Amino acid sequence: MTQDLYCWRCKRVVPMLDEAEWARYLALIEDYVGKYKREGSRDASGRRLPQPAKSRVEVVADFYESLVGYPVVEPGCSFFEAYAIDHHRLSQIGPPCAHCGKPLRTPRASFCADCGTPRAN
Ligand SMILES: [Zn+2]
Ligand SMILES: [Zn+2]
């Protein structure tokens, strides 16, 4: 299950992926890249093969939406926003601050980057 937590890079609360969802995301991208290489490249005689129907950004946006139930990435958004999912991983953002509740930013952080409270555990 995703958890809505503050993202330090996006500077807003976003749905963060758990490890199972992250694994699905990676598998999806791997699958897409493989497909893209086959379909988006040229054949032996140099003819360009058809591109996949969806762009990678659209594939990522659809996946993110399927997890949380609403469009996380607006249509026509910047490339960067669609790829924000790359850093929305629960295991990489550290535990929540005991004082303000924001993630500590990295799993090894020793204090909160926002309010300065030392890590509780
Ligand atoms: Zn973010
Ligand atoms: Zn804090």
Side-chain angles (χ1 to χ4, degrees), residues 7 9-10 14 84 87-88:
C7 174
R9 287 206 235 167
C10 299
V14 298
H87 64 263
H88 292 163

Side-chain angles (χ1 to χ4, degrees), residues 87-110:
H87 64 263
H88 292 163
R89 184 181 181 187
L90 281 168
S91 69
Q92 295 304 307
I93 60 173
C97 169
H99 179 69
C100 71
K102 284 180 180 171
L104 294 191
R105 196 136 68 161
T106 77
R108 286 176 302 280
S110 56

